[in-house]
């Protein structure tokens, strides 16, 4: 801020959208979808793009002057890179995971992080359904035989999915949507989830995992990646499954014991499997894929592509791009991964104070007493807290003394204050 020891003036010292000096800069790495660029440029940002990820040192060198950073899964946004990013307001992870970002360091510096948790839900559901049908009809075996010159028209071992029971383990975003679409195909759906979930359609909630395993013709895993789900499925669970059942895992590799799955496929206890995620996945296209599941009959192996569609990429670009644009213009943190979530409708004829602070008693009272002492009326105000942080959006009339902003910045609990017009 003006007068800081090194004479540096951070970008958020002015009034955004009014007296802001020059265009707000966004740096997008890793070939982010053009939809994001279109949205950010439409919101008045100056966008610079790089096709690849940057190293920690290159990122730290590139970030001064940048307000928004867009990355995918390869760029590591470390505490050191963030320490160099004095102007950074937000990081958009144009993907699902945020493990590549030091969230604690981002929060401590008042940097909002957004991701796209729902954009590829439909893509995973469609691949799961395609594989359920392919396994039930033994399609990949027929396909392989035809390519090898064998004409086998037999119906043996091929079934319709209609009337079969699908057991969904993990009834979250993906599991619940799979439930709805599968019922439309005439399947009976049972599910098991450790959390209370709204039951959709005619699905039946199983009280225990064993109940699901003993009922389902097809078991599909859609649990999240919490550490306790490591080896959730092993010898005991596969043994409980019905003879001739099918097994699918499109959630996380470490959830399944692949040796146990292999044994049950080879013994014929399970009729087939589809696996999209693996405990050890190659880091690049050139690296060999090794797995004990290779070369087994009626087993479909895919390279972690459950969410990889052009539609999902476009949706991710629009979703995260929109979150970043809303954060810059309105201070909205709705669906932020790390900051308290607050959104006020856009207002005219007011300035908005976006005040991020340490979550200690009395902050709101202190903000309001500064405003009252300067005879400033509050038009609208919302506060939310999350862990160690609080975030308040306050709309005030545009005639106020500059001292108000200086006093709010000086408050002990203040992490960051932006004034939006
Ligand atoms: N293959 C891919 O490319 C791809 C793409 C997107 C998501 N995924 C993965 O799919 C999984 C599901 O994603 P989502 O968006 O539906 O997640 P979500 O968080 O919405 O749902 C997960 C559900 O699993 C439940 N759960 C967790 N542990 C459980 C357990 N031990 N037993 C029963 N239920 C349990 C949770 O209560 C929750 O309802 C995640 O692991 C995600 O990483 C994979």
């Amino acid at each position: 801020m003006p007068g800081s020891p090194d004479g540096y003036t951070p970008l958020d010292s002015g009034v955004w959208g009014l007296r802001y000096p020059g265009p707000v800069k966004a740096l997008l790495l890793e070939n982010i979808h053009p939809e994001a660029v279109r949205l950010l440029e439409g919101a008045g940002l100056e966008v610079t793009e790089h096709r690849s990820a940057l190293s920690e040192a290159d990122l730290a060198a590139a970030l001064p002057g940048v307000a928004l950073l867009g990355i995918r899964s390869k760029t590591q946004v470390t505490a050191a890179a963030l320490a160099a990013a004095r102007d950074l307001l937000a990081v958009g992870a144009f993907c699902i995971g945020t493990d590549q970002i030091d969230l604690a360091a981002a929060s401590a510096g008042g940097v909002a992080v957004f991701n796209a948790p729902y954009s590829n839900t439909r893509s995973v559901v469609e691949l799961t359904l395609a594989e359920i049908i392919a396994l039930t009809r033994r399609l990949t075996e027929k396909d392989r035989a035809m390519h090898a010159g064998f004409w086998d028209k037999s119906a043996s071992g091929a079934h319709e999915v209609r009337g079969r029971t699908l057991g969904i383990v993990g009834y979250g975003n993906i599991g619940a949507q799979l439930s709805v679409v599968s019922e439309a195909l005439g399947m009976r759906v049972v599910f098991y989830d450790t959390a209370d979930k709204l039951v959709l359609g005619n699905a039946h909630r199983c009280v225990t995992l064993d109940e699901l395993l003993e009922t389902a013709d097809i078991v599909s895993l859609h649990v999240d990646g919490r550490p306790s789900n490591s080896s959730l499925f092993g010898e005991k669970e596969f043994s409980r499954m019905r003879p001739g059942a099918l097994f699918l895992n499109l959630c996380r590799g470490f959830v399944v014991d692949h040796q146990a799955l292999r044994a049950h496929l080879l013994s014929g206890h399970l009729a087939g499997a589809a696996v999209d995620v693996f405990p050890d996945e190659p880091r690049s296209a050139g690296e060999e894929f090794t797995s004990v599941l290779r070369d087994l009959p009626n087993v479909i192996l895919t390279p972690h592509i459950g969410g990889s569609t052009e539609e999902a990429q476009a949706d991710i670009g629009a979703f995260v791009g929109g979150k970043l644009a809303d954060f810059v213009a309105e201070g909205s943190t709705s669906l932020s991964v790390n900051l308290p979530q607050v959104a006020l409708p856009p207002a005219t004829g007011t300035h908005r104070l976006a005040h991020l602070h340490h979550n200690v008693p009395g902050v709101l009272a202190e903000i309001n007493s500064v405003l009252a002492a300067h005879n400033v009326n509050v038009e609208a105000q919302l506060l939310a807290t999350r862990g160690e942080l609080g975030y308040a959006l306050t709309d005030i009339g545009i005639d106020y003394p500059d001292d108000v902003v200086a006093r709010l910045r000086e408050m002990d609990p203040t992490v960051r204050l932006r004034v939006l017009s």
Side-chain angles (χ1 to χ4, degrees):
M1 65 190 58
S4 68
D6 58 1
Y8 185 83
T9 305
L11 293 185
D12 57 2
S13 60
V15 178
W16 283 59
L18 192 71
R19 298 204 298 268
Y20 181 76
V24 183
K25 291 190 178 143
L27 174 65
L28 301 187
L29 308 178
E30 302 187 59
N31 207 14
I32 285 167
H33 196 275
E35 187 56 24
V37 180
R38 195 188 63 76
L39 252 162
L40 292 174
E41 286 182 343
L45 284 109
E46 183 182 293
V47 178
T48 306
E49 290 182 82
H50 281 274
R51 290 187 67 79
S52 53
L54 292 183
S55 67
E56 184 183 66
D58 288 345
L59 185 61
L63 282 177
V66 167
L68 300 179
L69 171 68
I71 57 162
R72 292 172 70 187
S73 52
K74 289 208 176 80
T75 305
Q76 298 296 313
V77 184
T78 60
L82 286 165
R86 296 192 266 194
D87 300 306
L88 195 62
L89 291 179
V91 178
F94 286 78
C95 52
I96 312 300
T98 51
D99 300 349
Q100 71 282 37
I101 303 166
D102 188 327
L103 291 177
S107 304
V111 174
V113 178
F114 297 94
N115 69 340
Y118 314 119
S119 293
N120 61 12
T121 301
R122 178 71 188 201
S123 301
V124 180
V125 168
E126 290 194 9
L127 183 63
T128 308
L129 268 178
E131 292 185 331
I132 288 172
I133 295 175
L135 291 172
T136 309
R137 293 295 288 269
R138 303 190 79 93
L139 267 192
T140 55
E141 289 183 348
K142 300 279 181 202
D143 174 65
R144 218 170 290 150
M146 287 291 278
H147 282 286
F150 297 105
W151 180 269
D152 170 17
K153 210 172 145 4
S154 143
S156 171
H159 300 275
E160 295 181 352
V161 295
R162 179 175 51 165
R164 305 220 136 211
T165 299
L166 169 63
I168 299 173
V169 183
Y171 206 65
N173 299 312
I174 294 172
Q177 191 169 144
L178 177 65
S179 167
V180 172
V181 186
S182 304
E183 281 196 343
L185 288 176
M187 301 181 83
R188 184 172 164 258
V189 174
V190 298
F191 73 87
Y192 172 71
D193 198 297
T194 43
D196 276 340
K197 291 285 162 176
L198 176 69
V199 181
L200 299 177
N202 295 318
H204 166 76
R205 180 189 186 122
C206 296
V207 178
T208 62
L209 181 59
D210 281 351
E211 181 191 346
L212 178 142
L213 298 177
E214 286 159 11
T215 324
D217 301 308
I218 302 154
V219 172
S220 193
L221 302 191
H222 300 284
V223 298
D224 55 55
R226 68 186 74 183
S228 60
N229 280 339
S230 173
S231 300
L232 179 68
F233 257 68
E235 175 55 35
K236 181 169 151 281
E237 289 70 28
F238 288 122
S239 299
R240 287 263 181 190
M241 285 174 63
R242 295 169 64 125
L246 299 170
F247 174 80
L248 293 93
N249 182 19
L250 288 89
C251 65
R252 295 291 181 105
F254 69 86
V255 169
V256 176
D257 175 348
H258 282 188
Q259 285 289 0
L261 174 57
R262 176 185 163 86
H264 282 265
L265 287 162
L266 282 177
S267 73
H269 172 225
L270 298 184
V275 182
D276 185 47
V277 285
F278 302 85
D280 295 305
E281 299 182 354
R283 282 172 206 272
S284 61
E287 202 178 310
E288 186 184 354
F289 163 68
T290 55
S291 167
V292 295
L293 301 178
R294 274 174 55 177
D295 297 322
L296 296 182
N298 209 26
V299 171
I300 301 174
L301 302 179
T302 46
H304 204 147
I305 51 164
S308 303
T309 61
E310 294 187 12
E311 287 80 0
Q313 287 307 315
D315 201 80
I316 289 170
F319 188 89
V320 181
K323 292 280 160 223
L324 293 175
D326 287 351
F327 180 64
V328 167
E330 295 165 19
S332 167
T333 47
S334 99
L335 292 182
S336 163
V337 175
N338 63 328
L339 297 192
Q341 298 192 20
V342 183
L344 264 181
T348 48
T350 55
H351 278 183
R352 177 165 294 174
L353 307 173
H355 189 263
L356 186 70
H357 51 261
H358 296 292
N359 183 16
V360 292
V363 178
L364 202 56
E366 198 175 344
I367 292 173
N368 289 339
S369 76
V370 170
L371 297 176
H374 291 79
N375 212 21
V376 176
N377 192 39
V378 172
E379 307 286 344
Q381 189 169 52
L382 265 183
L383 164 81
T385 60
R386 182 176 187 172
E388 292 173 359
L389 290 174
Y391 185 54
L393 292 180
T394 306
D395 286 351
I396 57 175
I398 58 173
D399 288 326
Y400 54 88
D402 283 348
D403 186 44
V404 168
V405 175
R407 290 286 313 282
L408 292 173
R409 282 219 167 92
E410 281 162 16
M411 280 170 50
D412 272 349
T414 302
V415 174
R416 189 161 217 170
L417 175 73
R418 270 196 311 144
V419 187
L420 313 174
S421 68

